[in-house]
Amino acid sequence: MRTKTLISVFAFLILTSCVVRKKTTYGKKKTVTVEAKEGDTITKPPTKKRVAKNKKADRVVAKAMSFSGTRYKFGGTTKKGMDCSGLVYVTLKDNNINFPRTSHQMADEGKRIRLKDVEKGDLLFFKTSKSGKRINHVGLVVDVDGDDIRFIHSTSSRGVIVSSLREGFWSHSFIKATRIL
């Protein structure tokens, strides 16, 4: 009887641990207030912000951001709905850059770069399927602030959004970054 109870408790703990959702705080700014004494000098340490040297990157990112909130649609390339590669494809096409249509074909283009060298306008590639063997997701870098890389992409659950590479799912799914501009 005791063994049966232990097994039941153990099974309950395993099942309930899978349901718990991690609270994300990456979107919230943390502030610290410190009282200064007379004569103290307050300086804010500079953050290393990587800025794109290319004005075309600004235009490409601005076009991509104009699709924020667009719902997800597999194969879509309009404001009525689009997928991740459709977002990148339309954005680049609008800026006179011919590019493949699918994320795994896009991954073969451009120059591979290290994550520490990523700038605004670069592409990030992901493998989000556990069973798939090839790249199936792409995002466009919109901002880099220190080690926080933010990118715009289209997700099946939330449509076109900006996410951070710091987020666990995207960090673990990341495969490579390329520069095309």
Side-chain angles (χ1 to χ4, degrees):
M1 182 71 166
R2 184 173 166 96
T3 305
K4 195 173 188 180
T5 304
L6 285 174
I7 291 173
S8 297
V9 169
F10 184 69
F12 174 77
L13 289 174
I14 288 175
L15 290 173
T16 58
S17 68
C18 295
V19 177
V20 176
R21 298 189 108 192
K22 182 181 172 190
K23 183 178 178 182
T24 57
T25 58
Y26 53 84
K28 298 177 183 175
K29 282 201 172 222
K30 294 182 181 180
T31 58
V32 176
T33 306
V34 178
E35 192 172 315
K37 297 176 194 167
E38 190 174 330
D40 284 350
T41 306
I42 300 172
T43 58
K44 182 180 174 186
T47 59
K48 184 180 177 188
K49 189 160 185 159
R50 291 175 263 171
V51 180
K53 300 166 186 88
N54 192 335
K55 290 291 181 190
K56 196 163 208 171
D58 291 332
R59 291 191 302 273
V60 168
V61 168
K63 178 63 177 180
M65 293 297 285
S66 73
F67 291 106
S68 286
T70 300
R71 72 179 184 87
Y72 177 86
K73 181 179 180 188
F74 180 78
T77 56
T78 68
K79 282 227 183 219
K80 289 184 177 182
M82 60 180 34
D83 62 12
C84 62
S85 57
L87 171 66
V88 173
Y89 175 79
V90 168
T91 298
L92 295 175
K93 187 175 182 179
D94 189 67
N95 283 276
N96 300 315
I97 301 169
N98 291 324
F99 220 62
R101 172 60 184 85
T102 62
S103 56
H104 70 274
Q105 290 173 328
M106 290 177 178
D108 294 334
E109 302 292 322
K111 178 186 175 195
R112 188 174 187 150
I113 54 175
R114 296 179 298 195
L115 204 51
K116 70 176 191 161
D117 297 327
V118 167
E119 295 177 350
K120 185 177 189 178
D122 292 337
L123 298 179
L124 303 178
F125 293 95
F126 305 87
K127 188 180 113 188
T128 61
S129 171
K130 291 181 182 180
S131 61
K133 295 183 180 178
R134 67 181 183 188
I135 288 170
N136 65 343
H137 192 74
V138 60
L140 174 71
V141 176
V142 297
D143 185 50
V144 180
D145 190 3
D147 64 347
D148 186 20
I149 300 170
R150 300 185 54 75
F151 60 99
I152 190 166
H153 59 129
S154 183
T155 67
S156 57
S157 61
R158 296 175 58 202
V160 178
I161 59 169
V162 175
S163 298
S164 172
L165 197 55
R166 284 183 177 176
E167 295 172 39
F169 179 78
W170 298 115
S171 178
H172 294 304
S173 302
F174 175 75
I175 300 296
K176 71 176 188 173
T178 62
R179 178 155 300 142
I180 56 163
L181 300 178

